[in-house]
Amino acid sequence: MTVPDDQVLKQLLTTVEAIRADQHQLATQVEQLMHPAVETPKAHAASPTKVKPVTSASASLYPQRVILTSYPHQHGVQPVELNWGAKDAKERGPVVASRHVDSIKKRNAIGAYGGSYCVYRALATAIGDLNNDHRPNFDMTEPAFKVGPHPSWADPKKIVSLDPFGHMAPQLFKKEFDDGLDVRPTIALTKAHMTMVEMENLVKEKKLEVDGKIVVNERGDLAVSKGAVEPVWYLPGVAERFGIDEGLLRRALFEDTGGMYPELITRPDLKVYLPPIGGISIYVFGNPAYISDPTKKLTLRVHDECNGSDVFGSDICTCRPYLIYGIEECVKQAQQGGVGLIVYFRKEGRALGEVTKYLVYNARKRQAGGDTADHYFLRTECIAGVKDMRFQALMPDVLHWLGIQKIDRMMSMSNMKHDAIVDSGIPILERVPIPEEMIPEDSRVEIDAKIASGYFTTGEVMDDSQLAEVKGRDWEDIEH
């Protein structure tokens, strides 16, 4: 049975009016909580004094009326035009997510600048360390090396999770910024040196050559070009990438984050969302211009964050050893006239988070029979309900932003990363597994379980009975 269009429209209007009424009621309740009525005490008859009125700092920071959300065609709301996938920056338009007084009614994006750090900015404002109408001075902040534009920037199916013009926003939209529109960059590009003890050891072992350009000295310091990328999601494209409806995506992002951004529901006209999640770091070894040059060889490692191993050296996984190996091979590729690239995603614990990861460690070590490879994924699924939430579908976007046309050597065994990249149109010519001698003893459980589940290997793939024999260290072995 087909419902007439006018009936659907009436239902929608009724729903919107109900939301408006609820918003007004909630705003009133919030206002009462923030500004409770204070009864003025009576002065003592013998010593009359003046009682100072109780004031709230929020009255000077924010409007008296709490605005919980906005709606399309609301009075005064005029979003800046945004045409995702347009070839020209001016035609595309800036991404505006600021609530600055001169920009709040012109916002064309849901969320806030700064990724997950937007919460700290709010805290800084609340305690008075940051002026709530502060606008950055972007003088001398332009990119330290050139990226793009590339043809992929104009393909709305190739890039849906970052703003391809994000590193040039202050320059491209300077007039708009000077006119009062609070446009901010979501990508920054700079240059640096990096010092790692493993690189120093490789130099001492004559496995890395000091060339004065990439390996700059006997300490193994590396010259790098690097960038930081904050997520900017084009919701229709993200939904299509995952094969779901945009409405379902918006509803899930709203419902399952505690109703964090009501505009996901009330502003279907706003198609861009800045999620408060971790971003991406890129490290380039060699000439950054070579990344998009198909005549130059490219070595790549895509690495997902693992704080315990990457920073603190935990040996229960292969993350840091594989990262170090990736950097070594990237440096060698650059020294051979090509270019190396490390792409580092903030997806701690397979995007399940470090708390969940440590709970899984506890369960693995305490389960009957000990920490064995045949039960490696089971403990994660018991706690998190899923064994992996990194969902590599959006991962190739940064590669397309960099203009990559092929990958000569992929320093990864992940089938999910490989398939996502290849399916996005970038061929991988060679896959390079981590060398056996770099695998820590306690991480055999992880690597053998992953190989059995589909990870690339040039060696043996174990069956269930063999996996059951692969056992990690017991806690008793590490008592201090």
Side-chain angles (χ1 to χ4, degrees), residues 298-300 325 329 333 407-411 429-430 432:
L298 168 64
T299 291
L300 167 71
Y325 182 50
E329 293 302 307
Q333 187 73 84
I407 298 164
D408 294 273
R409 303 182 75 226
M410 177 74 174
M411 313 300 294
L429 306 186
E430 180 186 1
V432 184

Side-chain angles (χ1 to χ4, degrees), residues 97-98 112-126 130 134 184:
S98 175
Y113 294 120
S116 58
Y117 296 100
C118 65
V119 176
Y120 291 102
R121 189 169 68 244
L123 180 59
T125 301
L130 177 65
H134 170 74
R184 304 196 181 190

Side-chain angles (χ1 to χ4, degrees), residues 329-348:
E329 293 302 307
C330 283
V331 170
K332 290 178 178 177
Q333 187 73 84
Q335 290 182 324
Q336 294 165 9
V339 64
L341 174 65
I342 301 291
V343 181
Y344 193 97
F345 283 84
R346 295 309 192 285
K347 295 179 180 178
E348 176 62 58

Side-chain angles (χ1 to χ4, degrees), residues 17 59 66 70 93 132 182 208 216 239 270 292 296 304-305 329-330 363 370 383-384 396 401 412 424 429 457:
E17 287 303 318
V66 178
S70 62
N132 70 325
D182 193 16
L208 273 187
V216 299
L270 301 184
S292 58
K296 305 295 184 181
D304 293 323
E305 179 182 28
E329 293 302 307
C330 283
I383 294 168
W401 174 67
S412 173
S424 78
L429 306 186
T457 182

Side-chain angles (χ1 to χ4, degrees), residues 215-422:
V215 182
V216 299
N217 54 34
E218 295 294 332
R219 192 173 64 178
D221 290 353
L222 306 177
V224 296
S225 302
K226 63 180 184 178
V229 183
E230 292 173 355
V232 178
W233 287 6
Y234 177 59
L235 291 171
V238 172
E240 182 179 357
R241 192 75 64 84
F242 284 101
I244 60 175
D245 179 74
E246 181 190 347
L248 174 58
L249 174 64
R250 287 173 173 266
R251 185 69 181 268
L253 291 171
F254 174 72
E255 295 280 1
D256 293 305
T257 58
M260 183 164 47
Y261 289 112
E263 285 178 326
L264 285 164
I265 304 299
T266 65
R267 294 297 302 275
D269 58 315
L270 301 184
K271 299 297 183 181
V272 172
Y273 171 53
L274 278 60
I277 59 175
I280 309 167
S281 297
I282 61 171
Y283 283 77
V284 182
F285 304 87
N287 189 339
Y290 290 177
I291 292 177
S292 58
D293 185 347
T295 69
K296 305 295 184 181
K297 286 191 174 182
L298 168 64
T299 291
L300 167 71
R301 173 156 178 83
V302 175
H303 189 94
D304 293 323
E305 179 182 28
C306 177
N307 184 60
S309 177
D310 297 343
V311 179
F312 293 100
S314 171
D315 68 349
I316 199 171
C317 63
T318 59
C319 295
R320 182 178 176 89
Y322 215 163
L323 177 60
I324 296 300
Y325 182 50
I327 293 173
E328 176 189 351
E329 293 302 307
C330 283
V331 170
K332 290 178 178 177
Q333 187 73 84
Q335 290 182 324
Q336 294 165 9
V339 64
L341 174 65
I342 301 291
V343 181
Y344 193 97
F345 283 84
R346 295 309 192 285
K347 295 179 180 178
E348 176 62 58
R350 300 193 206 125
L352 301 171
E354 200 165 27
V355 169
T356 295
K357 181 165 76 172
Y358 287 5
L359 294 174
V360 171
Y361 287 170
N362 289 348
R364 282 173 53 187
K365 296 299 183 183
R366 286 173 173 145
Q367 66 187 341
D371 183 15
T372 57
D374 59 329
H375 288 155
Y376 173 75
F377 291 110
L378 176 62
R379 290 300 134 211
T380 303
E381 291 180 275
C382 286
I383 294 168
V386 61
K387 64 183 180 182
D388 198 326
M389 290 200 304
R390 286 173 292 181
F391 306 131
Q392 304 294 349
L394 301 178
M395 176 268 293
D397 289 24
V398 67
L399 308 182
H400 289 291
W401 174 67
L402 291 165
I404 292 175
Q405 298 183 50
K406 64 156 175 56
I407 298 164
D408 294 273
R409 303 182 75 226
M410 177 74 174
M411 313 300 294
S412 173
M413 299 164 70
S414 169
N415 53 322
M416 292 185 294
K417 291 175 183 175
H418 171 273
D419 294 348
I421 292 171
V422 172

